[in-house]
Amino acid sequence: MASLAFSATTKSYVSSSNYRIVLYKYDAKPERLPFKEGIFARKCNTRDSIVTNVAIQPSPLFPSPEKQDFAERNHVAWTSVRQERWEGELDVQGMIPLWLSGTYLRNGPGLWNIEDYNFRHLFDGYATLVKLHFENGRLIAGHRQIESDAYKAARKNRRLCYREFSEVPKTHNFLAYIGELANLFSGASLTDNANTGVVKLGDGSVVCLTETQKGSIIVDPNTLDTLGKFEYKDSLGGLIHSAHPIVTDEEFLTLLPDLINPGYLVVRMEPGTNERKLIGRVDCRGGPAPGWVHSFPVTEHYVVVPEMPLRYCAQNLLKAEPTPLYKFEWHPDSKGFVHVMCKASGKIVASVEVPLFVTFHFINAYEEKDEEGRVTAVIADCCEHNADTTILEKLRLQNLRSLMGVDVLPDARVGRFRIPLDGSPYGKLEAALDPDEHGRGMDMCSINPAYLGKKYRYAYACGAQRPCNFPNTLTKIDLFEKKAKNWYEEGAVPSEPFFVARPGATEEDDGVVISMISEKNGDGYALVLDGSTFEEIARAKFPYGLPYGLHGCWVPKN
C-alpha cells in the first residue's frame, strides 16, 4: 500500500489470500482553528486509535513522474489517488447518529496522469468512486477506480485513448487524424469516463454518469465493483445528455441537447426500464447551438429548461488543443432564455428572455401561487457565476495547484430566476441573498430531497472564505432569513455537502450533512455536521488524503 501522509507506526501482515491487513496506529489530534462569526464546531475528544484496513491488493496505477516531491508541493485535493482501491473501518471522533444507516457514495475525477503525461483540467480525471458506509455509529470507508473503457484502455496502452473534457488522443499522421475525426462524429472516440455524478435509480440500481450517454456505468454500491454499461434501449439517439438527471423513486428525467437542429429533448424513463420516452421538445431561441445544460431543475408539474449563452461549439470539438472555453463558445448576443414545459403534456407554457447567466448547478425550483392557488410563476435557483465564463479556466489543474491562497475565484451567488406564466416575454434573475453571506462563492449544492420541486427554505453548498482560488467552506443557506452559516478550516478543501434527512423528520433541516475534506498537509477525513445547527458532530480520518470529488448520492440500508 502507499505510504501514509501522516506520522504513523505501521504493521503489515500478509495472509495466504489476496488480502493485506494493515494496522495503522496514530494519534488523531486535528488542530482546531478559530472560526469566524456564524461558524459552529464542537471539539471532540481525541484518543489513540487502532484502525484496521482490509484492502484487496491494488493494481498499480500509472506511475507519476512527480513522485513524492510533487505531492508535497501540491494540495492533496489536486493530486492523483494513490492506489486503485482501498477499504477499511475508520476511527470516529464524536458521535454518528444511530439512525444514520446506509451508504453515501461520492463520484469524481481522481487520477490526472498517464505515466508522464499530466491532464490539464479538473474534469479530465479518471473516475474514483468513494463510499462512506454508516451503521450503528460505525463508519466503513473505501474507494475504487471506475473501470470505464477509457480507463482500461489508458491503463493497457499507457496513453490517452478517448476524448476527455479537454484532452484529445494524439495522432501521428494525417490519416490517423481523419480516422479520429470520424470516430468523433460516430461517438466512438468520446469518453465513457463516468466521473461526474452517481444516482440511485428507482429500481435500486446505482449508476455513475458523465455528459456522454455512453458514460453511464452501473456499479455495486457495496463493493464499488464496475458491473457494466447502462444501455439506453430506445430510438432517441444523441451522444450527450445532462450530467445531472432528476432521479426519484418514481422517474428519471433528463435533457438531450440537439446539436444539429438546436434544441433540447425532454425525456422520461420509468424505474426498471432502460427506455426513455419523449415528453416534448424545446427549440432554441438564439445562438448557433444549444446552451450547455450540465443540470436543470423541475417543479411538481414542470420541467425548467435553461438556454445559456455558453453554447456547445462543434468547431472547438474538432480542435486538437483546447480553446479557453473548451467545447463551448460564449455568445452574449444570442441572449439567455429559460423555458418551462408541462411534464404531463409536453407543452411549453413559458419561454422568456433572462439576463445573461453562467451556471453549472441548479439547486431547486418551485411554483409560485396566488391567493386562489393558481400558479403565476416558476422560481428556479442556481449557483450562478455572474455571467463570468472564466470559472472554466480557473478549474485548470495548474491554476488549482499553483494559486492556493490567491483570491482568483470568480464571484458567485444564489441566482434566483423568476419565470412568469402570464405570457410575459421577460423573466428576472437576481441574487436570492447577499453573496457576502457565503463569501461570494457558491457551488456544489444539495437540499432535503423531500423538497425537490417544492418551496423550500434551506440549501447546503460550498462557499468561500477569501482569499481563495476554489470554494473552501461549507455553507448552509437560509432562503427565508437570507442568511448563511459557514464551516471553515484553514487549508481545507471540502467536497459537496450532502444532506441526509432523519427518518420521520418533520423539520426541513432535521438531518445531517456529510462531506469529505482534503487537507493541505496531505491528510483527509469524513465530516458529519448537524443539519439544523451546522455544528460538527463527528469526523473520521482517512488513512491517506483523497483527491477532490464532485457529486454523490445516498443509498439507504435495506
Side-chain angles (χ1 to χ4, degrees), residues 244-482:
H244 296 286
I246 302 295
V247 182
T248 67
D249 288 341
E250 289 74 38
E251 63 183 359
F252 175 109
L253 299 169
T254 194
L255 303 182
L256 309 182
D258 185 344
L259 304 183
I260 305 301
N261 299 305
Y264 311 91
L265 301 183
V266 182
V267 302
R268 174 192 289 116
M269 186 170 65
E270 296 181 356
T273 74
N274 293 52
E275 183 181 2
R276 299 163 300 181
K277 296 182 178 180
L278 181 68
I279 297 175
R281 175 186 167 89
V282 174
D283 290 320
C284 288
R285 289 182 54 185
W292 186 20
V293 283
H294 186 72
S295 70
F296 65 100
V298 299
T299 70
E300 292 185 83
H301 301 102
Y302 303 112
V303 178
V304 181
V305 181
E307 185 182 338
M308 186 163 57
L310 182 63
R311 298 180 182 273
Y312 296 97
C313 178
Q315 291 84 354
N316 286 353
L317 281 171
L318 299 176
K319 294 178 180 177
E321 293 296 322
T323 69
L325 292 180
Y326 303 94
K327 297 171 175 60
F328 313 103
E329 272 190 344
W330 181 241
H331 289 274
D333 293 341
S334 73
K335 304 179 181 178
F337 303 93
V338 175
H339 314 275
V340 179
M341 177 181 288
C342 175
K343 286 184 188 178
S345 68
K347 179 183 177 181
I348 298 173
V349 299
S351 179
V352 300
E353 181 183 337
V354 295
L356 301 180
F357 66 101
V358 169
T359 182
F360 299 160
H361 301 116
F362 277 85
I363 303 170
N364 196 23
Y366 60 90
E367 296 159 16
E368 190 174 73
K369 299 180 181 180
D370 62 17
E371 294 179 352
E372 297 180 3
R374 293 173 298 193
V375 178
T376 59
V378 166
I379 305 300
D381 295 338
C382 68
C383 304
E384 204 277 310
H385 299 280
N386 293 291
D388 184 355
T389 62
T390 62
I391 183 63
L392 276 172
E393 186 68 10
K394 299 303 182 185
L395 297 180
R396 286 175 60 97
L397 288 166
Q398 179 182 358
N399 294 331
L400 295 174
R401 290 166 175 165
S402 63
L403 298 175
M404 292 294 296
V406 181
D407 202 22
V408 294
L409 177 68
D411 285 355
R413 59 181 176 167
V414 178
R416 170 159 288 184
F417 293 96
R418 187 180 187 278
I419 305 105
L421 301 188
D422 61 1
S424 300
Y426 300 103
K428 293 181 178 179
L429 171 58
E430 300 172 335
L433 75 163
D434 185 346
D436 284 331
E437 283 286 322
H438 47 80
R440 291 172 286 109
M442 175 56 49
D443 216 336
M444 314 304 287
C445 45
S446 73
I447 63 168
N448 184 329
Y451 288 78
L452 175 68
K454 302 175 183 178
K455 190 169 185 177
Y456 71 117
R457 177 172 181 173
Y458 300 111
Y460 302 90
C462 290
Q465 175 144 314
R466 305 285 177 161
C468 61
N469 70 330
F470 193 80
N472 59 356
T473 72
L474 300 173
T475 184
K476 177 186 178 181
I477 302 293
D478 184 333
L479 292 164
F480 287 8
E481 297 292 336
K482 300 187 181 301

Side-chain angles (χ1 to χ4, degrees), residues 91 116 150 188-189 213 218-219 234 302 308 372 375 380 450 489-490 544:
D91 179 66
D116 61 350
S189 70
Q213 293 187 36
I218 306 170
V219 297
D234 52 57
Y302 303 112
M308 186 163 57
E372 297 180 3
V375 178
E489 283 193 352
E490 184 181 355
Y544 49 85

Side-chain angles (χ1 to χ4, degrees), residues 156-274:
K156 177 182 178 180
N157 298 293
R158 302 287 174 176
R159 62 179 178 84
L160 185 76
C161 299
Y162 289 82
R163 286 174 172 257
E164 302 297 337
F165 180 79
S166 75
E167 300 289 342
V168 177
K170 304 302 180 187
T171 53
H172 301 292
N173 55 60
F174 181 73
L175 288 178
Y177 172 70
I178 296 299
E180 209 281 325
L181 289 184
N183 286 334
L184 170 62
F185 288 119
S186 70
S189 70
L190 293 179
T191 188
D192 66 339
N193 176 23
N195 68 358
T196 305
V198 55
V199 296
K200 183 183 78 69
L201 303 183
D203 64 0
S205 302
V206 175
V207 181
C208 294
L209 298 164
T210 189
E211 297 200 349
T212 63
Q213 293 187 36
K214 66 191 288 189
S216 303
I217 296 178
I218 306 170
V219 297
D220 185 314
N222 300 311
T223 65
L224 305 186
D225 289 343
T226 299
L227 302 181
K229 292 288 184 68
F230 187 92
E231 303 284 355
Y232 298 98
K233 297 179 180 178
D234 52 57
S235 59
L236 293 174
L239 300 177
I240 57 177
H241 58 182
S242 171
H244 296 286
I246 302 295
V247 182
T248 67
D249 288 341
E250 289 74 38
E251 63 183 359
F252 175 109
L253 299 169
T254 194
L255 303 182
L256 309 182
D258 185 344
L259 304 183
I260 305 301
N261 299 305
Y264 311 91
L265 301 183
V266 182
V267 302
R268 174 192 289 116
M269 186 170 65
E270 296 181 356
T273 74
N274 293 52

Side-chain angles (χ1 to χ4, degrees), residues 28-136:
K29 296 179 179 179
E31 183 180 1
R32 292 289 192 273
L33 294 158
F35 295 135
K36 72 177 185 179
E37 184 178 349
I39 297 174
F40 301 91
R42 191 182 94 180
K43 288 193 175 182
C44 304
N45 292 329
T46 57
R47 58 190 183 276
D48 287 349
S49 54
I50 298 288
V51 183
T52 305
N53 302 283
V54 181
I56 293 177
Q57 285 286 77
S59 302
L61 289 177
F62 306 113
S64 173
E66 300 89 349
K67 300 189 189 316
Q68 188 62 34
D69 62 336
F70 177 85
E72 290 173 353
R73 292 196 310 269
N74 291 276
H75 199 293
V76 69
W78 322 120
T79 304
S80 290
V81 67
R82 300 186 181 192
Q83 63 187 54
E84 188 175 57
R85 62 187 303 188
W86 171 86
E87 181 173 308
E89 183 169 359
L90 304 183
D91 179 66
V92 175
Q93 302 172 50
M95 186 70 68
I96 294 173
L98 294 179
W99 61 259
L100 188 62
S101 184
T103 302
Y104 171 60
L105 297 173
R106 189 199 73 180
N107 191 12
L111 182 63
W112 289 293
N113 73 283
I114 303 175
E115 294 197 338
D116 61 350
Y117 184 80
N118 290 298
F119 293 166
R120 284 171 279 207
H121 200 277
L122 171 66
F123 297 159
D124 289 326
Y126 292 119
T128 303
L129 188 63
V130 184
K131 75 172 182 181
L132 299 175
H133 178 72
F134 299 88
E135 189 169 3
N136 297 322

Side-chain angles (χ1 to χ4, degrees), residues 134-155:
F134 299 88
E135 189 169 3
N136 297 322
R138 299 171 63 191
L139 176 53
I140 296 173
H143 75 262
R144 184 167 182 176
Q145 294 300 116
I146 296 174
E147 295 184 334
S148 63
D149 291 341
Y151 171 70
K152 290 188 293 184
R155 187 171 61 180

